[in-house]
Amino acid sequence: MVFSDSQSAMTLMADISVVAVIEIPTLEHALPLAEILSAVDGIALEVTLRTEAACEAIRLIRKNYPQTIVGAGTVLGANELIKVEDAGAQFAISPGATPALYEAARNSRCPLIPGVATASEIMLGLSHGYDFFKFFPAESAGGVKTLRSFAGPFSSVKFIPTGGVTLDNAPTYLSLHNVVAVGGSWMVPSEAVKSADWPQIQALVQHCATL
Ligand code: 3PG
């Protein structure tokens, strides 16, 4: 039995190869960033709940870029899930998962992509009916080797590795059959976002088109 959240999230990610993990300092940064990211096919946005502006930024981007897939990241608990659903997030990603978060997701229309780093965490997710996870922190948790090992016992499980992914190692991750897309902030460095260095971000985002 696969919980509908995993199916919905998988469908959303069908044409996505990169999930851009973004920290939006103020609402003014939201639309210029969205414009750059939505210009390249195959990129979804994960707006992290690490700034005050995050939920309003999700709402604004959804309204202005309806074609772009926009979700919320750093969704740690039930309250956050309710807030991002209300803001119009199309998916919610968490770095890990708790029984409370799984329970909250049952009552939410916003599909959850729970975070896992170990076999036991995958088994817990499977017991809640999920088979599509964020693998975090990917590089510190063994990266490509760990994902290859997961493919044995968890042959039907799919992942979005995130954490330490770069333009250089992304192709290896994407070549694995259990990887749907890679996540990362390498194309939206927080200093460049804060200083509104749009040309630098545009150049980094352009490289994602090669993935
Ligand atoms: C996340 O929250 O998914 C990570 O902070 C992204 O990791 P990265 O900055 O190493 O890409």
Side-chain angles (χ1 to χ4, degrees):
M1 194 266 304
V2 173
F3 189 51
S4 62
D5 268 21
S6 281
Q7 279 165 3
S8 308
M10 201 82 97
T11 304
L12 264 181
M13 297 295 170
D15 297 321
I16 296 299
S17 45
V18 174
V19 177
V21 178
I22 323 170
E23 228 177 279
I24 299 190
T26 72
L27 209 49
E28 286 71 48
H29 292 80
L31 293 183
L33 254 181
E35 184 176 339
I36 295 170
L37 289 159
S38 55
V40 174
D41 287 341
I43 299 183
L45 280 60
E46 177 190 328
V47 178
T48 58
L49 299 187
R50 296 176 201 168
T51 64
E52 285 291 313
C55 282
E56 280 315 302
I58 291 170
R59 202 183 298 280
L60 192 64
I61 298 170
R62 289 280 285 128
K63 189 169 161 218
N64 286 275
Y65 293 90
Q67 254 62 276
T68 302
I69 295 173
V70 185
T74 325
V75 175
L76 304 181
N79 287 345
E80 282 99 336
L81 195 55
I82 292 166
K83 277 194 219 156
V84 303
E85 180 183 353
D86 181 61
Q90 289 164 285
F91 62 89
I93 291 202
S94 55
T98 61
L101 185 60
Y102 279 126
E103 181 56 32
R106 288 206 172 273
N107 302 313
S108 173
R109 279 174 288 111
C110 183
L112 176 69
I113 304 175
V116 295
T118 66
S120 295
E121 289 162 10
I122 294 170
M123 288 165 65
L124 179 67
L126 286 169
S127 76
H128 284 276
Y130 287 80
D131 67 353
F132 182 32
F133 302 98
K134 168 171 177 164
F135 173 48
F136 178 82
E139 280 290 288
S140 323
V144 165
K145 276 190 180 169
T146 299
L147 285 169
R148 284 204 179 106
S149 303
F150 285 159
F154 307 116
S155 58
S156 63
V157 172
K158 306 282 185 207
F159 301 93
I160 300 180
T162 308
V165 178
T166 64
L167 189 63
D168 290 337
N169 63 19
T172 314
Y173 279 108
L174 288 167
S175 71
L176 303 180
H177 80 269
N178 57 355
V179 167
V180 169
V182 291
S185 64
W186 81 86
M187 77 305 285
V188 280
S190 57
E191 283 314 311
V193 175
K194 273 188 207 140
S195 60
D197 187 347
W198 307 131
Q200 186 195 343
I201 293 170
Q202 194 152 27
L204 292 165
V205 170
Q206 284 303 327
H207 291 306
C208 294
T210 62
L211 294 174

